Amino acid sequence: MNKPETFSFVTEENITLNMNLHRATSNRKNITILYFHGGGLLYGVRDDLPEMYITAFLKAGYDFLALDYPLAPESKIDLILESALQLVLFYLQNSEQVFSLQNNNYLLLGRSAGAYLALMMCNLLLKNEVLPPMAIISLYGYARLDETAFHTPSKHYNKLASVPAESIAKIISDSPVTYGPMNLRFSLYIKARQEGTWIQHLCGKENPSNYSLPDEQLNTFPPTLLAAATLDPDVPYKISKTLRKLIPNSHLITIYKEAHDFDRDLKDESGKATYAEIIQWLETMHSTLRN
């Protein structure tokens, strides 16, 4: 895979966000995939998608732009959403001049919390009458922060050793964090899920329903592909099933196993099969749009 080009953008709040652009060199569709990483909005890095999957998108002709965003609890959900929106708008306004792309056609792809951001970005763009994505790809994502499972202690994470409070104090920074490797910040997520305080880290005293998409708004969304595992311990499978019913022209890939980010293990055939189906779905969608 060719080495990505790195671009930087400074938000109105003076937060520097970086982006990695991988360019397709053949079979070009002149469509860019804007990617938001996962990590519960508490941890994660923009370049976490395994190289083999990025290469698959590039071979299919799609450019791939991986994005930073501010992480909680250093930044609350309002700032996270606003910063992500500013970054998408920066791409839309500068796709040719800054990124040297032929146009600003794009898709939104997110994994877990990144899928939540993708869905929220689409909603904000539609509400502000800005060019929406041609399609959305949501891998084990969600559209609401007021899900009951997100506010109660997790049986799955409580099987792990309890995370001491003093270790968490060492993780949290006094300034915004935009790049949070799993080995440094995952314990923050574990503790939040053990205690059922995850959403509090994101929203503070704000009502999480304010950061949840109503059914009628999802009805206005572009074609959407969803993928999730039936026994996902982090994000209940029923969430993806509900999104499938609410979003027109959507398709759900079901993985029958107990896993969340099933595409992280490159030995697992589920991930390979899922991305092959995603690319086939994109090919079909692209052909339909051309016709």
Side-chain angles (χ1 to χ4, degrees), residues 253-278:
I253 301 172
T254 298
I255 292 86
Y256 294 93
K257 61 175 50 183
E258 183 177 358
H260 178 54
D261 48 349
F262 56 83
D263 52 345
R264 184 162 60 92
D265 182 359
L266 298 184
K267 297 178 182 178
D268 190 333
E269 293 299 321
S270 299
K272 298 176 185 178
T274 296
Y275 280 82
E277 189 168 344
I278 288 172

Side-chain angles (χ1 to χ4, degrees), residues 2-3 34 37 58 61 101 134 165 190 194 221 240 253 261:
N2 61 333
K3 185 178 180 180
L34 273 57
H37 66 79
L58 298 179
L101 299 168
M134 301 170 69
I190 293 174
Q194 287 177 336
F221 273 33
S240 290
I253 301 172
D261 48 349

Side-chain angles (χ1 to χ4, degrees), residues 53-70:
Y53 298 137
I54 297 177
T55 299
F57 286 126
L58 298 179
K59 286 183 176 179
Y62 298 92
D63 298 311
F64 188 89
L65 184 64
L67 310 172
D68 277 349
Y69 55 85

Side-chain angles (χ1 to χ4, degrees), residues 41-44 71-74 163-192 201:
L41 304 178
L42 298 176
Y43 72 94
L71 300 174
E74 291 88 350
V163 178
E166 53 268 25
S167 67
I168 297 301
K170 296 177 182 178
I171 295 173
I172 299 175
S173 174
D174 293 330
S175 57
V177 174
T178 61
Y179 199 81
M182 187 174 185
N183 64 316
L184 298 180
R185 291 177 67 93
F186 186 47
S187 57
L188 176 60
Y189 178 73
I190 293 174
K191 186 171 182 61
H201 281 293

Side-chain angles (χ1 to χ4, degrees), residues 143-259:
R144 307 190 65 86
L145 294 186
D146 56 2
E147 295 282 349
T148 301
F150 296 165
H151 293 263
T152 54
S154 163
K155 293 181 180 179
H156 172 75
Y157 283 102
N158 275 304
K159 294 176 183 177
L160 305 178
S162 179
V163 178
E166 53 268 25
S167 67
I168 297 301
K170 296 177 182 178
I171 295 173
I172 299 175
S173 174
D174 293 330
S175 57
V177 174
T178 61
Y179 199 81
M182 187 174 185
N183 64 316
L184 298 180
R185 291 177 67 93
F186 186 47
S187 57
L188 176 60
Y189 178 73
I190 293 174
K191 186 171 182 61
R193 294 308 301 261
Q194 287 177 336
E195 297 178 342
T197 57
W198 173 34
I199 303 303
Q200 292 177 33
H201 281 293
L202 308 181
C203 298
K205 296 181 180 179
E206 295 294 325
N207 188 339
S209 295
N210 296 335
Y211 308 99
S212 303
L213 296 180
D215 295 357
E216 60 270 18
Q217 289 173 251
L218 291 165
N219 291 334
T220 68
F221 273 33
T224 299
L225 184 140
L226 307 144
T230 51
L231 298 177
D232 187 330
D234 287 69
V235 179
Y237 173 68
K238 66 178 182 180
I239 292 175
S240 290
K241 287 184 66 177
T242 299
L243 290 172
R244 166 65 185 89
K245 294 176 182 178
L246 294 173
I247 300 175
N249 197 10
S250 59
H251 174 64
L252 173 60
I253 301 172
T254 298
I255 292 86
Y256 294 93
K257 61 175 50 183
E258 183 177 358

